[in-house]
Amino acid sequence: VTTAIPLMAIAVAVIIRKKYVKQLKALLVFVLAFLLTFAIGTMRVKVLPCEANVERDSDPILYWVALGLHGDGSHAANEDFAILCEAAGSKTEREYIVKEKLRREWRQFFDSDHIIAKIRCNFACGDVGASGYMRFPYKEGNIVYELISWDGKFFWKYACLSTSYLFALFLLTAIGAFRGAFGNKMNFTTMTAYVTVIGIMLFLMLWEAQNKQLFNQTGWILLAACHGLLTMGTPKKCFVGRNKK
């Protein structure tokens, strides 16, 4: 799902920069071609034998929204709901469970304690989600284990370093956005980067709390942060708009 965020960001940036209307038309053609290909591919998949397994084992998209609804939005904080869905016999049953949960508890999205806990889990948990990509147990005692595992010798040193680095990127991104809002021109690519960063942050607050999703947008985050660094200049220029001729 997160791979679609930059595509949407490009469309938003095109709309903001009206001189790129021609590019918007090209983008629409690309999106229509993509949707057509996706539809044909879906129809083809529907006749494959594995489709029976999909109906039995897969989760509806809204499952991930409902899973992030309580506590800090992580799987661990919503394990009872996950177990309930896993026990359901089909995707159709899971869809019903998920929709009922969202219908009854949608106000939880606006609970201040939940919002704060989810922000901390997404953007300040320490390991920046690296362990989320470890599909199989990494060997105890090796350097990866010692750095990334919660039980590793150097985990807290790694956590402090990685979180500080991430905070620095967010700070530089915020500075660049501030400067852009007050007169410092952005090119089309940089604007796309900022919209993408905003998109991934909103996505993480809506979805299950998994900050490993930030890795999918690392390039855009770095680009936005570099723009913030370039716009800083001297302390005086950092908070003043472009000089008028």
PDB file of all heavy atoms in Angstrom, residues 7 25 39 50 59 85 103 106 116 145 147 157 159-160 197 200 206:
ATOM      1  N   LEU A   7       2.999   7.990  -5.716  1.00  0.00           N
ATOM      2  CA  LEU A   7       2.185   8.252  -6.910  1.00  0.00           C
ATOM      3  C   LEU A   7       1.117   9.298  -6.611  1.00  0.00           C
ATOM      4  O   LEU A   7       0.882  10.220  -7.400  1.00  0.00           O
ATOM      5  CB  LEU A   7       1.536   6.957  -7.395  1.00  0.00           C
ATOM      6  CG  LEU A   7       2.479   5.901  -7.975  1.00  0.00           C
ATOM      7  CD1 LEU A   7       1.698   4.639  -8.335  1.00  0.00           C
ATOM      8  CD2 LEU A   7       3.210   6.440  -9.199  1.00  0.00           C
ATOM      9  N   LYS A  25      -1.961  15.051 -17.100  1.00  0.00           N
ATOM     10  CA  LYS A  25      -2.641  14.245 -18.118  1.00  0.00           C
ATOM     11  C   LYS A  25      -1.875  12.948 -18.368  1.00  0.00           C
ATOM     12  O   LYS A  25      -2.472  11.866 -18.476  1.00  0.00           O
ATOM     13  CB  LYS A  25      -2.765  15.045 -19.418  1.00  0.00           C
ATOM     14  CG  LYS A  25      -3.723  16.235 -19.310  1.00  0.00           C
ATOM     15  CD  LYS A  25      -3.763  17.006 -20.618  1.00  0.00           C
ATOM     16  CE  LYS A  25      -4.716  18.198 -20.517  1.00  0.00           C
ATOM     17  NZ  LYS A  25      -4.732  19.002 -21.757  1.00  0.00           N
ATOM     18  N   ALA A  39      -6.678  -4.853 -13.137  1.00  0.00           N
ATOM     19  CA  ALA A  39      -7.974  -5.532 -13.263  1.00  0.00           C
ATOM     20  C   ALA A  39      -7.831  -6.843 -14.032  1.00  0.00           C
ATOM     21  O   ALA A  39      -8.385  -7.877 -13.633  1.00  0.00           O
ATOM     22  CB  ALA A  39      -8.969  -4.607 -13.959  1.00  0.00           C
ATOM     23  N   CYS A  50      -4.857 -21.257  -6.238  1.00  0.00           N
ATOM     24  CA  CYS A  50      -4.467 -20.639  -4.972  1.00  0.00           C
ATOM     25  C   CYS A  50      -5.524 -19.663  -4.452  1.00  0.00           C
ATOM     26  O   CYS A  50      -5.460 -19.222  -3.299  1.00  0.00           O
ATOM     27  CB  CYS A  50      -3.137 -19.911  -5.119  1.00  0.00           C
ATOM     28  SG  CYS A  50      -3.191 -18.508  -6.260  1.00  0.00           S
ATOM     29  N   ASP A  59      -6.281 -11.520   4.869  1.00  0.00           N
ATOM     30  CA  ASP A  59      -6.994 -10.524   5.676  1.00  0.00           C
ATOM     31  C   ASP A  59      -7.490  -9.391   4.787  1.00  0.00           C
ATOM     32  O   ASP A  59      -6.798  -8.988   3.844  1.00  0.00           O
ATOM     33  CB  ASP A  59      -6.074  -9.939   6.752  1.00  0.00           C
ATOM     34  CG  ASP A  59      -5.600 -11.006   7.729  1.00  0.00           C
ATOM     35  OD1 ASP A  59      -6.457 -11.720   8.269  1.00  0.00           O
ATOM     36  OD2 ASP A  59      -4.384 -11.111   7.954  1.00  0.00           O
ATOM     37  N   CYS A  85      -9.540 -12.689  14.694  1.00  0.00           N
ATOM     38  CA  CYS A  85      -9.593 -12.722  13.230  1.00  0.00           C
ATOM     39  C   CYS A  85      -8.925 -13.980  12.681  1.00  0.00           C
ATOM     40  O   CYS A  85      -9.402 -14.578  11.702  1.00  0.00           O
ATOM     41  CB  CYS A  85      -8.922 -11.482  12.648  1.00  0.00           C
ATOM     42  SG  CYS A  85      -9.879  -9.964  12.867  1.00  0.00           S
ATOM     43  N   ARG A 103     -17.043   0.057  13.201  1.00  0.00           N
ATOM     44  CA  ARG A 103     -18.324   0.751  13.399  1.00  0.00           C
ATOM     45  C   ARG A 103     -18.528   1.112  14.876  1.00  0.00           C
ATOM     46  O   ARG A 103     -18.999   2.199  15.189  1.00  0.00           O
ATOM     47  CB  ARG A 103     -19.477  -0.136  12.913  1.00  0.00           C
ATOM     48  CG  ARG A 103     -20.858   0.523  12.982  1.00  0.00           C
ATOM     49  CD  ARG A 103     -21.943  -0.423  12.537  1.00  0.00           C
ATOM     50  NE  ARG A 103     -22.042  -1.598  13.386  1.00  0.00           N
ATOM     51  CZ  ARG A 103     -22.667  -1.597  14.565  1.00  0.00           C
ATOM     52  NH1 ARG A 103     -23.227  -0.491  15.034  1.00  0.00           N
ATOM     53  NH2 ARG A 103     -22.729  -2.700  15.286  1.00  0.00           N
ATOM     54  N   TRP A 106     -14.816   3.504  16.199  1.00  0.00           N
ATOM     55  CA  TRP A 106     -14.082   4.449  15.357  1.00  0.00           C
ATOM     56  C   TRP A 106     -13.658   5.714  16.110  1.00  0.00           C
ATOM     57  O   TRP A 106     -12.668   6.368  15.755  1.00  0.00           O
ATOM     58  CB  TRP A 106     -14.917   4.828  14.131  1.00  0.00           C
ATOM     59  CG  TRP A 106     -16.205   5.550  14.450  1.00  0.00           C
ATOM     60  CD1 TRP A 106     -17.414   4.988  14.685  1.00  0.00           C
ATOM     61  CD2 TRP A 106     -16.380   6.974  14.583  1.00  0.00           C
ATOM     62  NE1 TRP A 106     -18.363   5.953  14.949  1.00  0.00           N
ATOM     63  CE2 TRP A 106     -17.743   7.194  14.902  1.00  0.00           C
ATOM     64  CE3 TRP A 106     -15.528   8.073  14.465  1.00  0.00           C
ATOM     65  CZ2 TRP A 106     -18.268   8.459  15.102  1.00  0.00           C
ATOM     66  CZ3 TRP A 106     -16.050   9.346  14.667  1.00  0.00           C
ATOM     67  CH2 TRP A 106     -17.402   9.534  14.971  1.00  0.00           C
ATOM     68  N   ILE A 116      -1.059   9.810  21.194  1.00  0.00           N
ATOM     69  CA  ILE A 116       0.300  10.004  21.725  1.00  0.00           C
ATOM     70  C   ILE A 116       1.075   8.685  21.717  1.00  0.00           C
ATOM     71  O   ILE A 116       2.242   8.633  21.313  1.00  0.00           O
ATOM     72  CB  ILE A 116       0.244  10.600  23.143  1.00  0.00           C
ATOM     73  CG1 ILE A 116      -0.287  12.030  23.081  1.00  0.00           C
ATOM     74  CG2 ILE A 116       1.620  10.582  23.791  1.00  0.00           C
ATOM     75  CD1 ILE A 116      -0.622  12.629  24.431  1.00  0.00           C
ATOM     76  N   TYR A 145      22.164  -9.304  15.874  1.00  0.00           N
ATOM     77  CA  TYR A 145      21.376  -9.628  17.065  1.00  0.00           C
ATOM     78  C   TYR A 145      21.705  -8.661  18.203  1.00  0.00           C
ATOM     79  O   TYR A 145      20.806  -8.136  18.869  1.00  0.00           O
ATOM     80  CB  TYR A 145      21.665 -11.063  17.506  1.00  0.00           C
ATOM     81  CG  TYR A 145      20.960 -11.455  18.790  1.00  0.00           C
ATOM     82  CD1 TYR A 145      19.693 -12.025  18.764  1.00  0.00           C
ATOM     83  CD2 TYR A 145      21.563 -11.245  20.030  1.00  0.00           C
ATOM     84  CE1 TYR A 145      19.034 -12.372  19.932  1.00  0.00           C
ATOM     85  CE2 TYR A 145      20.915 -11.588  21.212  1.00  0.00           C
ATOM     86  CZ  TYR A 145      19.659 -12.150  21.157  1.00  0.00           C
ATOM     87  OH  TYR A 145      19.022 -12.475  22.321  1.00  0.00           O
ATOM     88  N   LEU A 147      22.777  -5.691  18.130  1.00  0.00           N
ATOM     89  CA  LEU A 147      22.349  -4.318  17.856  1.00  0.00           C
ATOM     90  C   LEU A 147      20.826  -4.171  17.854  1.00  0.00           C
ATOM     91  O   LEU A 147      20.282  -3.245  18.459  1.00  0.00           O
ATOM     92  CB  LEU A 147      22.892  -3.845  16.505  1.00  0.00           C
ATOM     93  CG  LEU A 147      24.376  -3.495  16.429  1.00  0.00           C
ATOM     94  CD1 LEU A 147      24.758  -3.212  14.982  1.00  0.00           C
ATOM     95  CD2 LEU A 147      24.696  -2.283  17.297  1.00  0.00           C
ATOM     96  N   LYS A 157      22.289   1.487  22.798  1.00  0.00           N
ATOM     97  CA  LYS A 157      23.194   2.401  22.085  1.00  0.00           C
ATOM     98  C   LYS A 157      22.707   2.567  20.645  1.00  0.00           C
ATOM     99  O   LYS A 157      22.658   3.681  20.110  1.00  0.00           O
ATOM    100  CB  LYS A 157      24.631   1.867  22.111  1.00  0.00           C
ATOM    101  CG  LYS A 157      25.283   1.895  23.494  1.00  0.00           C
ATOM    102  CD  LYS A 157      26.710   1.412  23.414  1.00  0.00           C
ATOM    103  CE  LYS A 157      27.415   1.544  24.750  1.00  0.00           C
ATOM    104  NZ  LYS A 157      26.821   0.734  25.813  1.00  0.00           N
ATOM    105  N   ALA A 159      19.643   2.063  19.617  1.00  0.00           N
ATOM    106  CA  ALA A 159      18.354   2.751  19.656  1.00  0.00           C
ATOM    107  C   ALA A 159      18.544   4.259  19.771  1.00  0.00           C
ATOM    108  O   ALA A 159      17.874   5.034  19.085  1.00  0.00           O
ATOM    109  CB  ALA A 159      17.519   2.230  20.830  1.00  0.00           C
ATOM    110  N   CYS A 160      19.460   4.684  20.651  1.00  0.00           N
ATOM    111  CA  CYS A 160      19.721   6.130  20.813  1.00  0.00           C
ATOM    112  C   CYS A 160      20.249   6.732  19.522  1.00  0.00           C
ATOM    113  O   CYS A 160      19.838   7.818  19.110  1.00  0.00           O
ATOM    114  CB  CYS A 160      20.715   6.361  21.947  1.00  0.00           C
ATOM    115  SG  CYS A 160      20.041   6.037  23.587  1.00  0.00           S
ATOM    116  N   VAL A 197       6.290  12.508   2.440  1.00  0.00           N
ATOM    117  CA  VAL A 197       6.591  12.389   3.872  1.00  0.00           C
ATOM    118  C   VAL A 197       5.324  12.597   4.701  1.00  0.00           C
ATOM    119  O   VAL A 197       5.048  11.846   5.654  1.00  0.00           O
ATOM    120  CB  VAL A 197       7.684  13.390   4.296  1.00  0.00           C
ATOM    121  CG1 VAL A 197       7.851  13.402   5.814  1.00  0.00           C
ATOM    122  CG2 VAL A 197       9.012  13.038   3.630  1.00  0.00           C
ATOM    123  N   ILE A 200       3.141   9.405   4.313  1.00  0.00           N
ATOM    124  CA  ILE A 200       3.551   8.214   5.068  1.00  0.00           C
ATOM    125  C   ILE A 200       3.276   8.401   6.558  1.00  0.00           C
ATOM    126  O   ILE A 200       2.916   7.459   7.265  1.00  0.00           O
ATOM    127  CB  ILE A 200       5.044   7.869   4.820  1.00  0.00           C
ATOM    128  CG1 ILE A 200       5.400   6.511   5.441  1.00  0.00           C
ATOM    129  CG2 ILE A 200       5.972   8.926   5.355  1.00  0.00           C
ATOM    130  CD1 ILE A 200       4.685   5.333   4.840  1.00  0.00           C
ATOM    131  N   LEU A 206      -2.923   5.966  10.688  1.00  0.00           N
ATOM    132  CA  LEU A 206      -4.191   5.308  10.381  1.00  0.00           C
ATOM    133  C   LEU A 206      -4.064   3.796  10.447  1.00  0.00           C
ATOM    134  O   LEU A 206      -4.968   3.102  10.899  1.00  0.00           O
ATOM    135  CB  LEU A 206      -4.669   5.730   8.981  1.00  0.00           C
ATOM    136  CG  LEU A 206      -5.970   5.102   8.476  1.00  0.00           C
ATOM    137  CD1 LEU A 206      -7.158   5.609   9.287  1.00  0.00           C
ATOM    138  CD2 LEU A 206      -6.172   5.406   6.995  1.00  0.00           C
TER     139      LEU A 206
END
